[in-house]
Amino acid sequence: MKQICIPGTTLQVSRLSFGTGSLHHLPSLARRRALLQAALEAGFTHFDTSPYYGFGLGELALGSLPAASRQRMTVATKVGLYGPNGSRAWAVDVYARKFLGKLLPSLNRAVVDWSLARARATFDDSLRRLKRESVDLLLLHEPVAAFIRTSEWLQWLQSLQHNGRIRHWGVAGEPGLVVAVRLHAEALAPVIQVRDSLQRHEADVALNLPGTDSRPMQLTYGYLAAQSGAARGGVLAEQCLLTALGRNATGSVLVSTRRIERIAGLAKVAAG
Ligand SMILES: NC(=O)c1ccc[n+]([C@@H]2O[C@H](COP(=O)([O-])OP(=O)(O)OC[C@H]3O[C@@H](n4cnc5c(N)ncnc54)[C@H](OP(=O)(O)O)[C@@H]3O)[C@@H](O)[C@H]2O)c1
């Protein structure tokens, strides 16, 4: 697969990145691991995760890959959004909450916590689950600018970078949230991962703030999710991604599937 250097960073990543937001829908670790390994073999080298995804199961699956595989990938994880019971990553707990949460949503609701103490502790947990000393990218997950003490956070992120525990940091989420961070704390957003679609071009709002130079696209997601069921099927999905790669010509487009048989077709879209 073609590779690209994310603008403004030293991050060399595959043009399509693999998202682990729905990985926990696969019922066994063996199947989650097989899907990730297939993505790696097909040419995806950048993997996006979060302690919120499967309340830790996404990170655990990445950490369960053989060391040789882990060394071939770059990884982004996140802080700020957590599972209702922390990120214990016990499959039974996760599935019980996801199932019962349909009846009682509070069991399954994300916990938003912008305290630095929580971020410090959960980042250590993330590294343990990922079986890594460091990650390539640490993102503030759906950041709420009004709750974030910018100078404290900046100091922490700089110290992580200085100590070699992260290579880069940034923000990830909906365009409106990214805009607010950029207006109030631009230093927290050297990397921007933002929702986009072919229909509405939402990312433009976050990248082109009036009175500032427009930012090149870095990481964008949501293109297939924005399509209706029929428009998403098979070849159409691949055409959609091809157009998405044209739109995000400078960075990497995140995509996810739970179906191993779809991986080769997706990867082919960005073949070198
Ligand atoms: N705040 C954030 O930073 C944030 C927010 C949202 C997402 N993300 C990241 O971005 C990743 C991707 O986001 P996403 O899941 O919204 O986006 P997506 O990749 O645009 O859409 C995924 C959907 O497309 C379907 N699909 C995949 N390949 C297909 C194919 N060949 N034919 C038909 N349908 C296909 C998948 O179904 P199947 O699984 O059945 O294939 C799934 O329903 C996430 O996993 C996560 O890592 C980040």
Side-chain angles (χ1 to χ4, degrees):
M1 193 184 300
K2 284 186 186 133
Q3 297 269 312
I4 199 157
C5 185
I6 299 287
T9 76
T10 58
L11 273 181
Q12 187 80 22
V13 300
S14 44
R15 280 283 276 139
L16 289 175
S17 296
F18 197 81
T20 63
S22 57
L23 193 61
H24 59 281
H25 293 194
L26 296 179
S28 70
L29 177 60
R31 285 184 59 190
R32 296 192 278 275
R33 197 167 33 205
L35 188 81
L36 292 171
Q37 193 68 47
L40 192 61
E41 298 314 325
F44 288 87
T45 63
H46 185 65
F47 290 75
D48 177 75
T49 192
S50 157
Y52 179 60
Y53 296 163
F55 308 156
L57 291 182
E59 290 179 331
L60 263 189
L62 283 164
S64 76
L65 294 175
S69 299
R70 281 186 275 122
Q71 281 156 15
R72 285 163 55 201
M73 47 173 63
T74 52
V75 171
T77 194
K78 311 192 183 80
V79 285
L81 211 58
Y82 310 105
N85 195 20
S87 299
R88 301 273 178 83
W90 292 334
V92 174
D93 182 61
V94 174
Y95 294 127
R97 282 176 182 278
K98 298 268 177 206
F99 178 72
L100 295 173
K102 294 193 167 81
L103 303 171
L104 189 59
S106 61
L107 282 175
N108 200 20
R109 200 168 282 144
V111 172
V112 178
D113 187 341
W114 290 105
S115 70
L116 202 48
R118 177 83 182 256
R120 284 178 196 281
T122 63
F123 179 57
D124 287 342
D125 291 342
S126 289
L127 289 181
R128 261 193 295 278
R129 279 189 292 270
L130 289 164
K131 293 215 186 94
R132 303 178 83 90
E133 305 276 304
S134 65
V135 288
D136 301 280
L137 181 58
L138 182 64
L139 295 165
L140 278 58
H141 201 173
E142 306 291 349
V144 185
F147 296 162
I148 298 175
R149 299 162 79 104
T150 308
S151 57
E152 276 181 14
W153 274 79
L154 198 53
Q155 263 179 16
W156 179 55
L157 293 164
Q158 284 167 338
S159 74
L160 289 177
Q161 191 181 54
H162 181 76
N163 295 328
R165 298 179 77 211
I166 64 173
R167 287 172 62 196
H168 297 279
W169 72 78
V171 293
E174 296 298 323
L177 296 175
V178 173
V179 168
V181 172
R182 290 199 59 201
L183 290 176
H184 301 289
E186 173 85 1
L188 295 178
V191 174
I192 294 177
Q193 172 166 305
V194 66
R195 179 180 299 284
D196 195 34
S197 71
L198 299 182
Q199 297 79 9
R200 290 183 295 280
H201 290 193
E202 296 92 328
D204 291 348
V205 176
L207 300 175
N208 307 320
L209 290 190
T212 66
D213 290 339
S214 72
R215 297 266 301 256
M217 284 206 183
Q218 293 170 310
L219 295 139
T220 51
Y221 62 84
Y223 297 98
L224 294 182
Q227 305 286 106
S228 68
R232 205 191 279 166
V235 174
L236 291 172
E238 288 156 25
Q239 278 168 359
C240 166
L241 276 187
L242 195 58
T243 313
L245 284 172
R247 182 161 155 71
N248 180 351
T250 47
S252 181
V253 167
L254 271 74
V255 65
S256 76
T257 181
R258 296 156 295 182
R259 292 167 59 166
I260 204 164
E261 67 276 14
R262 286 181 165 169
I263 287 186
L266 294 174
K268 203 174 62 192
V269 173

